[in-house]
């Protein structure tokens, strides 16, 4: 929260990097990654996002009061909105982490989904801010770097997944599915 008020060097850039949807989603994904099942991954994501939302709005209020003397102008309804959004996002992120762990072709787009979303969001923000660079010069600088880096990560993750799947497919016995199973395994609860 101190990043929003520039209370230490470089704070504003950290705020621009992690204070957007991509920062929250990356934290949610990393937390969910340790879940052994879809419900477990969803809970881990949710238990990361809910305290983060509470802390964000609490510290925003406290620091706004101390720095500006006015307190935060944000309505309590926004906290309710983001809490509901966290429930939906956590379920989606929980499912996404389970798909990424699959050793099937669905893991390719699943693995690239989050960095592709980050790249798209940063590219969109960069395009908008490029029209009026004085609107938010720090976010313009962050997005100028973030969108191509995230696009490169999405591409690299997809290529790594494809190589891993094709080398695994080539290594299995003729007539046997690469996973060793005779059926398509799409159960997200594993």
């Amino acid at each position: 929260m101190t990043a929003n008020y520039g209370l230490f060097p470089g704070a504003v850039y950290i705020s621009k990097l992690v204070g957007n949807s991509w920062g929250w989603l990356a934290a949610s994904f990393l937390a969910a990654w340790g879940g052994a099942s879809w419900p477990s991954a969803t809970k881990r994501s949710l238990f990361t996002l809910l305290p983060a939302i509470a802390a964000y709005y609490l510290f925003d209020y406290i620091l706004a009061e101390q720095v500006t003397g006015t307190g935060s102008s944000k309505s309590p309804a926004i906290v309710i909105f983001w809490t509901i959004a966290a429930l939906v996002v956590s379920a989606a992120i929980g499912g996404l982490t389970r798909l990424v762990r699959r050793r099937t072709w669905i893991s390719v787009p699943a693995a690239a989904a989050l960095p592709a979303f980050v790249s798209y969001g940063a590219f969109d923000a960069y395009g908008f801010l490029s029209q009026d660079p004085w609107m938010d010069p720090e976010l313009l600088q962050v997005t100028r770097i973030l969108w191509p880096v995230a696009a490169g990560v999405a591409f690299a993750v997809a290529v790594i997944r494809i190589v891993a799947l094709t080398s695994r497919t080539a290594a299995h016995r003729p007539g046997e599915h690469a996973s060793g199973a005779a059926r398509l395994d799409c159960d997200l609860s594993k």
Side-chain angles (χ1 to χ4, degrees):
M1 296 296 44
T2 59
N4 286 341
Y5 297 96
L7 298 179
F8 61 87
V12 69
Y13 294 101
I14 294 168
S15 175
K16 301 300 179 181
L17 182 62
V18 300
N20 282 292
S21 60
W22 50 72
W24 292 76
L25 289 174
S28 173
F29 185 86
L30 290 173
W33 187 254
S37 64
W38 177 71
S40 170
T42 299
K43 287 177 197 171
R44 292 173 66 98
S45 170
L46 191 59
F47 292 152
T48 297
L49 290 178
L50 290 180
I53 291 167
Y56 178 88
Y57 286 105
L58 177 65
F59 284 111
D60 184 60
Y61 180 80
I62 292 169
L63 288 173
E65 182 69 35
Q66 289 178 353
V67 174
T68 66
T70 61
S72 179
S73 62
K74 295 181 176 105
S75 165
I78 195 74
V79 178
I80 295 167
F81 170 80
W82 285 116
T83 299
I84 293 168
L87 294 169
V88 174
V89 166
S90 292
I93 291 289
L96 184 65
T97 60
R98 302 319 309 151
L99 291 174
V100 170
R101 288 179 178 237
R102 294 278 172 223
R103 291 189 174 119
T104 62
W105 289 102
I106 192 69
S107 70
V108 176
L114 185 60
F117 173 81
V118 170
S119 179
Y120 171 76
F123 181 75
D124 186 51
Y126 177 73
F128 177 74
L129 292 169
S130 293
Q131 296 171 15
D132 186 5
W134 297 109
M135 185 183 304
D136 193 340
E138 293 86 4
L139 185 57
L140 179 65
Q141 291 175 349
V142 168
T143 57
R144 176 182 296 133
I145 296 168
L146 182 59
W147 81 260
V149 168
V153 169
F155 180 76
V157 166
V159 168
I160 289 167
R161 282 287 173 178
I162 291 169
V163 167
L165 287 169
T166 54
S167 65
R168 181 184 171 132
T169 303
H172 78 277
R173 289 175 278 169
E176 179 183 319
H177 187 270
S179 68
R183 63 183 177 84
L184 183 61
D185 190 7
C186 292
D187 182 12
L188 293 177
S189 65
K190 292 182 182 176

